[in-house]
């Protein structure tokens, strides 16, 4: 018996003795997670998520269950070579009594927890089973996972022959080919041949015993199946993007007791993770009672169930049901606010059941989940009173602990370096043709120049990401950018930042973080670039909101006109500051006016928070000597953020959005630093107000920060994730903040990004359309910690 299991058994025995002498109402002792401070557990994950169609016009019967079904088919199995295949083995008269038996899935390695039940590691797999078809089917549908060639026979007649490969492939059999059917007992045979590489097989068979009127051929049947699939796909597109948080548990995910997830998930696919990571039931088990409030598109979810006691091998079973609450919890907000900003964004209701079987290893009161297998099955409903079934939801997960990251250790740094190399290599390929696709120049008299802004942020990411300045793609891209007409604030700001990046002194960022210098150094652009920067800056300032006097209140629009938003306003200030560092004169009054705007449109009604911020120098001293006395910035703040527009509209506070909170913090830090650069500009009250507002913004992040989704406003939790992370990087680094509430914001975001990155160097897309170039650029800029601190505390 392992020491970990023995420890758990001792804990179980001790807990039992405690409970035996306590009252019946005494709580069970929970466990706390054994995860390094500011570290993470990383898991290997296998996952399958299916969003199925609502009730179909088609009536289907499951004839042969696949490996993902509750009771997979029990086949007669032969694993052999092509040369040794028995003659006529696929015909009914063949005697297979000497064959072994096995259930799907068939793969080289058996792993029952992942549904891989039967080993197949030879050239050919042969399967036979008897199926009862009392009534002649109108059509058969085979759903097959196969790598490589597949053949399927019914009573010796070949129905399917395909030399491709893939998972979830559908094969329809219709018409005369079904003449092989016979009433009662039928022989189904299947063969898969591996020609190299991946190797797997699984099969499910569905029979359609009746067809709707008008369906007379396979094309009509395929049309109905496509309609069913499209109905399910439409629901899936509303709920799930390609990005999903990777399989890990961050120390920063946990509550203050270290027992459960602090920030409930925003994605239905994360319910199994949410339940599996909760250790509050302890080794004796008991009730499970979780809430996932304000989940994207679903509102408040309630999860109720039970956990069994941990068995002698460390395994524990949990059974939990979930459902959407009838009414969202107010959570301190007014009914009107909830109606406007929560209920209006709840498009579906859901209910279902999930099971988790997890294995725990522990040391005393601390434990970790080293493996879990889970399944979930539920409904997604919509319409009046949620009576219309929109789709079904089914999920299977298997997680196994792979490694543990002890904060920013050497292996973590290597993961980041590898991700940056893959990312910059991929982004460089995407920027090779700077004149094509969504990078091509737009008309000079158009409404915007967003394509050029996309090119500019891509070039900025390459330069900050370590690609040499004289790289041919960088040189060509900048030359192309220099000659383009730039119209909108986003494009102008990114272009200014990209040019500024050419002239950043070596080691400046490291010197700023260490305190060797107290502010960024002046850049010395070439005469031609400085003239271009001057032109772009003048155009940028013409893009201010025309409803206010920029001498007193400066806020940016995309182009000059009567509007603003805090997103593009952030870019305006970033561009102005880069121009300022390059020697372009920006009046001091403009920085004051920009700060006035951000102070004016910040929220005011947030709760009080005891905030702790650690700067980079202090954090470095703490790492070098954990016992050394260091001081941190502690203050009582109000957790107030920013929204996309004004924070107050029609008498109601608007919901704050994580990316906009970071935008507000970014703007205030820039304004504070720029005002400090004006030798004759003394604004003690303004700077005090800016300091208070920055503290309030960081207090909002302390309460809501997560690296798993875009926190805040319900409508945007599954959008603008990379933009939010890049904003978090800017907001934190500009202020020189290494830790927020003792959480390493960089480690958390970097772990998510390096594990989510695709093999080709791209990062997965979000729920709505987004451009690969910008997505990749923002991920690179975060990982590189590309922003130079402007407030160093010196």
């Amino acid at each position: 018996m392992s020491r970990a299991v023995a420890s758990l058994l001792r804990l179980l025995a001790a807990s039992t003795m405690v409970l035996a002498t306590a009252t019946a109402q005494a709580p069970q002792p929970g466990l706390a997670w054994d995860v390094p401070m500011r570290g993470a557990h990383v898991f290997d994950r296998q996952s399958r998520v299916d969003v199925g169609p609502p009730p179909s016009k088609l009536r289907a019967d499951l004839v042969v269950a696949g490996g993902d079904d509750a009771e997979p088919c029990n086949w007669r199995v032969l694993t052999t070579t092509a040369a040794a295949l028995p003659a006529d083995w696929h015909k009914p008269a063949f005697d297979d009594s000497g064959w072994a038996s096995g259930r799907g899935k068939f793969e080289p390695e058996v792993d029952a927890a992942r549904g891989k039940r039967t080993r197949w590691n030879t050239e050919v797999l042969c399967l036979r089973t008897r199926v009862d078809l009392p009534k002649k089917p109108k059509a058969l549908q085979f759903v097959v996972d196969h790598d490589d060639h597949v053949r399927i026979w019914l009573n010796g007649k070949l129905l399917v022959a395909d030399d491709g490969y893939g998972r979830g492939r559908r094969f329809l059999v219709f018409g005369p080919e079904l003449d092989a059917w016979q009433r009662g007992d039928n022989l189904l045979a299947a063969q898969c041949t591996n020609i190299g590489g991946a190797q797997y097989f699984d099969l499910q068979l569905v029979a359609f015993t009746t067809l709707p009127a008008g369906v007379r051929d396979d094309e009509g049947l395929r049309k109905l199946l496509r309609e069913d699939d499209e109905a399910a796909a439409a629901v899936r597109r509303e709920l799930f993007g390609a990005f999903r948080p990777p399989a890990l548990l961050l120390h920063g995910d946990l509550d203050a007791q270290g027992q459960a997830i602090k920030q409930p998930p925003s994605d239905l696919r994360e319910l199994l993770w949410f339940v599996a990571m909760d250790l509050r039931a302890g080794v004796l088990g008991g009730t499970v009672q979780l809430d996932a409030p304000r989940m994207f598109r679903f509102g408040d979810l309630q999860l109720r169930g039970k956990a069994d006691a941990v068995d002698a091998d460390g395994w524990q079973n949990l059974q939990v049901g979930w459902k959407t609450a009838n009414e969202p919890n107010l959570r301190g907000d007014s009914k009107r606010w909830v109606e406007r900003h929560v209920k209006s964004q709840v498009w579906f209701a859901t209910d279902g059941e999930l099971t988790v079987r997890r294995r725990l290893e522990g040391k005393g009161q601390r434990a970790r989940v080293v493996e879990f297998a889970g399944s979930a099955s539920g409904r997604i409903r919509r319409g009046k009173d949620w009576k219309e079934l929109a789709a079904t939801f089914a999920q299977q997960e298997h997680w196994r602990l792979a490694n543990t990251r002890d904060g920013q250790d050497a292996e973590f740094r290597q993961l980041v370096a590898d991700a940056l190399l893959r990312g910059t290599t991929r982004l460089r390929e995407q920027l090779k043709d700077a004149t094509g696709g969504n990078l091509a120049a737009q008309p000079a008299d158009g409404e915007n120049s967003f394509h050029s802004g996309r090119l500019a942020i891509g070039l900025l990411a390459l330069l900050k990401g370590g690609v040499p300045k004289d790289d041919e793609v960088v040189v060509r891209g900048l030359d192309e950018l220099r000659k383009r007409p730039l119209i909108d604030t986003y494009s102008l700001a990114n272009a200014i930042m990209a040019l500024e990046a050419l002239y950043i002194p070596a080691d400046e960022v490291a010197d700023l973080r260490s305190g060797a210098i107290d502010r960024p150094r002046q850049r010395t652009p070439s005469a031609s670039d400085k003239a271009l920067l001057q032109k772009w800056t003048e155009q940028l300032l013409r893009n201010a909101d025309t409803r206010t006097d920029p001498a007193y209140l400066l806020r940016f629009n995309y182009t000059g006109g009567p509007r603003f938003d805090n997103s593009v306003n952030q870019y305006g200030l970033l561009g102005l500051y880069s121009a300022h560092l390059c020697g372009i004169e920006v009046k001091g009054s403009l920085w004051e006016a920009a700060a006035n705007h951000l102070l004016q449109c910040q929220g005011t009604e947030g709760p009080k928070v005891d905030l702790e911020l650690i700067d980079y120098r202090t954090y470095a001293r703490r790492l070098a000597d954990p016992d050394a006395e260091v001081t941190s910035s502690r203050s009582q703040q109000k957790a107030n953020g920013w929204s996309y527009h004004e924070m107050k509209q029609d008498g109601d506070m608007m919901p704050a959005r994580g990316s906009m909170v970071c935008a507000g913090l970014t703007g205030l830090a820039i304004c504070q630093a720029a005002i400090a650069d004006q030798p004759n500009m003394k604004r003690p009250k303004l700077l005090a107000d800016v300091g208070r507002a920055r503290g309030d913004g960081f207090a909002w992040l302390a309460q809501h920060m997560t690296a798993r989704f875009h926190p805040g406003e319900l409508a945007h939790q599954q959008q603008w994730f990379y933009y939010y992370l890049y904003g978090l990087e800017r907001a934190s680094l500009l202020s020189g903040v290494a830790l927020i509430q003792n959480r390493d914001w960089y480690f958390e975001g970097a772990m998510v990004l390096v594990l989510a990155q695709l093999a080709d160097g791209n990062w997965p897309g979000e729920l709505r359309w987004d451009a690969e170039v910008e997505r990749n650029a923002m991920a690179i800029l975060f990982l590189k910690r590309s922003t130079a601190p402007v407030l160093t505390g010196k």
Side-chain angles (χ1 to χ4, degrees):
M1 181 183 297
S2 72
R3 280 183 290 178
V5 171
S7 176
L8 272 176
L9 291 177
R10 287 194 297 273
L11 179 58
L12 177 59
S15 300
T16 304
M17 292 175 62
V18 169
L19 289 178
T21 58
T23 65
Q25 290 76 31
Q28 298 184 22
L31 299 171
W33 267 93
D34 178 22
V35 57
M37 174 68 74
R38 294 185 293 278
H41 290 319
V42 180
F43 296 80
D44 289 329
R45 175 176 68 191
Q46 286 201 346
S47 176
R48 177 168 178 168
V49 177
D50 293 313
V51 178
S56 172
K57 298 175 184 177
L58 295 168
R59 183 176 163 187
D61 295 322
L62 180 63
V63 177
V64 174
D68 287 328
D69 293 313
E71 290 293 332
C73 173
N74 193 27
W75 297 86
R76 305 296 288 178
V77 181
L78 176 68
T79 57
T80 184
T81 64
L85 268 177
D88 297 330
W89 70 268
H90 56 278
K91 293 185 177 180
F94 182 83
D95 180 10
D96 61 17
S97 60
W99 288 18
S101 62
R103 298 175 183 268
K105 306 173 181 177
F106 299 86
E107 298 201 27
E109 297 297 328
V110 176
D111 188 343
R114 304 188 191 198
K116 303 175 182 179
R117 296 179 179 86
T118 306
R119 180 173 285 107
W120 167 43
N121 56 7
T122 62
E123 181 185 3
V124 179
L125 172 70
C126 298
L127 302 176
R128 287 168 56 96
T129 191
R130 299 283 175 171
V131 297
D132 184 18
L133 295 172
K135 182 179 179 181
K136 185 176 181 179
K138 299 293 185 181
L140 296 176
Q141 176 181 260
F142 295 92
V143 181
V144 186
D145 297 345
H146 65 103
D147 196 323
D148 297 283
H149 306 166
V150 65
R151 303 289 186 269
I152 302 173
W153 296 264
L154 180 65
N155 295 325
K157 181 179 178 63
L158 184 64
L159 300 186
V160 174
D162 189 276
D163 289 342
Y165 61 90
R167 297 189 185 271
R169 301 189 72 197
R170 290 182 177 181
F171 302 97
L172 280 176
V173 179
F174 199 99
E177 292 181 324
L178 294 176
D179 291 344
W181 164 85
Q182 59 189 31
R183 185 178 302 277
D185 185 59
N186 291 261
L187 185 281
L188 182 71
Q191 174 182 320
C192 190
T193 304
N194 180 46
I195 62 172
Q199 183 172 358
Y200 54 80
F201 184 79
D202 195 30
L203 180 151
Q204 181 197 70
L205 171 59
V206 170
F208 300 101
T209 54
T210 61
L211 294 176
V215 177
R216 297 183 176 84
D217 54 24
D218 60 347
E219 185 51 43
L221 179 58
R222 292 179 191 279
K223 181 175 181 293
L224 279 181
L225 290 170
R226 282 196 302 270
E227 289 172 354
D228 288 349
D229 289 344
E230 287 166 2
V235 175
R236 185 175 186 121
R237 285 193 298 270
E238 292 291 350
L239 297 174
F240 306 130
F243 172 80
R244 181 185 170 193
L248 81 165
L249 176 73
L250 296 158
H251 184 265
D253 287 328
L254 296 172
D255 60 12
Q257 293 73 39
Q259 294 184 304
I261 302 301
K262 175 173 59 178
Q263 188 86 309
S266 176
D267 189 320
L268 193 65
R269 295 173 295 184
E270 299 305 292
L271 283 186
L272 283 169
W273 168 82
F274 186 45
V275 171
M277 300 295 112
D278 193 312
L279 300 184
R280 286 176 293 188
V283 294
L284 294 181
T287 60
V288 174
Q289 185 168 324
L290 297 170
D291 292 296
R294 298 184 183 175
M295 179 179 283
F296 180 76
R297 297 298 184 236
F298 288 114
D300 289 4
L301 264 61
Q302 298 171 338
L303 296 93
R304 303 290 185 265
K306 65 175 184 176
D308 297 339
V310 177
D311 69 19
D313 295 317
W315 288 95
Q316 184 176 41
N317 296 319
L318 300 92
Q319 303 87 36
V320 176
W322 81 81
K323 66 175 182 178
T324 298
N326 293 331
E327 288 290 328
N329 191 303
L330 295 182
R331 299 174 63 79
D333 298 313
S334 68
K335 288 184 178 180
R336 173 176 163 173
W337 195 95
V338 170
E339 285 283 343
R340 184 176 178 184
H341 301 296
V342 177
K343 293 183 73 172
S344 66
Q345 297 300 323
V346 177
W347 296 4
F348 300 96
T350 181
D351 59 86
E353 302 283 337
L354 65 84
T355 60
V356 169
R357 178 168 171 77
R358 65 186 180 187
R359 184 163 63 90
L360 302 173
E361 287 183 356
K363 300 174 183 177
Q365 287 293 126
R366 303 189 70 80
R368 60 179 62 179
V369 175
V370 295
E371 183 177 4
F372 83 82
S375 63
S377 177
R379 301 180 298 173
I380 298 171
R381 294 174 284 121
R382 63 183 166 197
K384 183 175 174 58
D385 298 326
W386 312 117
K387 290 182 178 179
E388 178 190 348
L389 181 59
T392 59
F393 176 80
Q395 182 178 11
Q396 290 192 326
E397 300 274 309
H398 183 268
W399 293 43
R400 182 174 288 154
L401 185 62
N403 57 69
T404 297
R405 291 273 65 76
D406 191 6
Q408 295 188 39
D409 57 15
E411 290 186 49
F412 166 79
R413 293 193 294 274
Q414 188 60 52
L415 284 173
V416 171
D418 293 344
L420 280 168
L421 179 59
R422 288 193 301 270
T424 53
T425 300
R426 178 61 179 160
L427 182 58
R428 185 179 177 277
E429 286 294 315
Q430 292 167 326
L431 297 187
K432 273 187 175 180
D433 181 10
T435 61
N438 61 7
L439 299 176
Q442 294 164 272
D445 58 353
E447 294 183 356
N448 62 65
S449 48
F450 289 161
H451 288 193
S452 298
R454 188 171 296 122
L455 172 62
I457 196 171
L459 293 168
L460 176 66
L462 290 184
L463 287 166
K464 293 290 186 77
V467 176
K469 299 175 185 179
D470 59 356
D471 177 84
E472 61 176 344
V473 172
V474 171
V475 171
R476 280 203 314 267
L478 287 172
D479 286 345
E480 174 68 20
L481 191 63
R482 286 182 178 103
K483 66 186 182 184
R484 289 190 181 182
L486 301 182
I487 300 166
D488 62 276
T489 298
Y490 174 75
S491 302
L492 286 160
N494 280 329
I496 293 171
M497 287 191 287
L499 270 195
E500 182 231 335
L502 284 176
Y503 301 101
I504 296 175
D507 301 323
E508 180 186 77
V509 171
D511 289 345
L512 284 164
R513 287 186 193 146
S514 68
I517 56 176
D518 66 346
R519 65 189 64 195
R521 301 185 181 100
Q522 278 286 307
R523 286 65 166 121
T524 55
S526 67
S528 60
D529 276 351
K530 187 168 184 179
L532 186 56
L533 288 166
Q534 179 70 47
K535 174 185 173 183
W536 285 348
T537 303
E538 291 169 1
Q539 176 61 45
L540 184 64
L541 288 169
R542 289 194 286 270
N543 288 346
D545 185 347
T546 55
R547 296 170 298 179
T548 61
D549 184 347
Y552 300 99
L553 201 70
L554 175 64
R555 54 197 192 186
F556 285 91
N557 188 17
Y558 282 97
T559 57
R563 79 172 291 280
F564 82 94
D565 66 66
N566 284 318
S567 177
V568 75
N569 182 70
Q570 167 186 222
Y571 278 99
L573 295 177
L574 286 164
L576 272 190
Y577 191 72
S578 283
H580 162 71
L581 290 177
C582 290
I584 305 302
E585 182 180 357
V586 179
K587 293 180 181 177
S589 61
L590 293 178
W591 301 114
E592 182 177 3
N596 287 339
H597 159 68
L598 292 169
L599 292 171
Q600 175 184 288
C601 72
Q602 187 178 20
T604 58
E605 300 176 3
K608 291 182 180 179
V609 174
D610 291 323
L611 175 68
E612 180 183 26
L613 301 177
I614 304 289
D615 64 47
Y616 275 92
R617 294 196 304 280
T618 300
Y619 187 34
R621 289 197 299 272
R622 178 187 286 183
L623 290 176
D625 183 0
D627 298 324
E629 290 189 11
V630 294
T631 58
S632 61
S633 171
R634 294 178 181 268
S635 60
Q636 188 172 81
Q637 303 290 155
K638 294 181 72 176
N640 286 317
W642 286 265
S643 186
Y644 187 62
H645 291 296
E646 296 283 5
M647 198 63 191
K648 200 164 192 175
Q649 294 181 15
D650 301 328
D652 278 339
M653 296 300 291
M654 299 296 289
R657 193 185 302 179
S659 57
M660 294 301 94
V661 175
C662 295
L665 288 168
T666 291
L668 287 176
I670 286 171
C671 291
Q672 184 173 339
I675 290 171
D677 284 344
Q678 314 296 318
N680 300 318
M681 194 173 180
K682 306 298 181 184
R683 297 291 187 273
K685 182 180 183 308
L686 175 66
L687 294 179
D689 289 342
V690 166
R692 184 269 313 158
R694 287 174 49 243
D696 287 355
F698 277 111
W700 190 96
L701 284 177
Q703 283 205 317
H704 300 278
M705 184 175 71
T706 176
R708 303 183 71 85
F709 59 90
H710 181 190
E713 187 178 4
L714 189 62
H716 296 284
Q717 288 179 355
Q718 297 298 317
Q719 298 171 267
W720 313 115
F721 173 71
Y722 299 97
Y723 175 52
Y724 152 67
L725 281 188
Y726 178 34
L728 178 62
E729 183 263 359
R730 285 193 301 259
S732 301
L733 286 178
L734 284 167
S735 292
V737 171
L739 303 180
I740 301 172
Q741 222 72 331
N742 209 25
R743 290 173 62 183
D744 186 341
W745 61 266
Y746 176 72
F747 174 80
E748 293 184 23
M751 284 298 297
V752 168
L753 288 176
V754 299
L755 295 176
Q757 188 180 28
L758 303 175
D760 64 0
N762 281 312
W763 273 271
E766 301 182 60
L767 187 63
R768 295 287 183 262
W769 178 90
D770 56 353
E772 280 186 349
V773 165
E774 284 157 315
R775 188 165 72 235
N776 293 339
M778 290 177 182
I780 290 166
L781 289 165
F782 180 97
L783 288 175
K784 192 63 180 181
R785 284 185 287 189
S786 61
T787 302
V790 298
L791 301 177
T792 62
K794 290 199 70 178

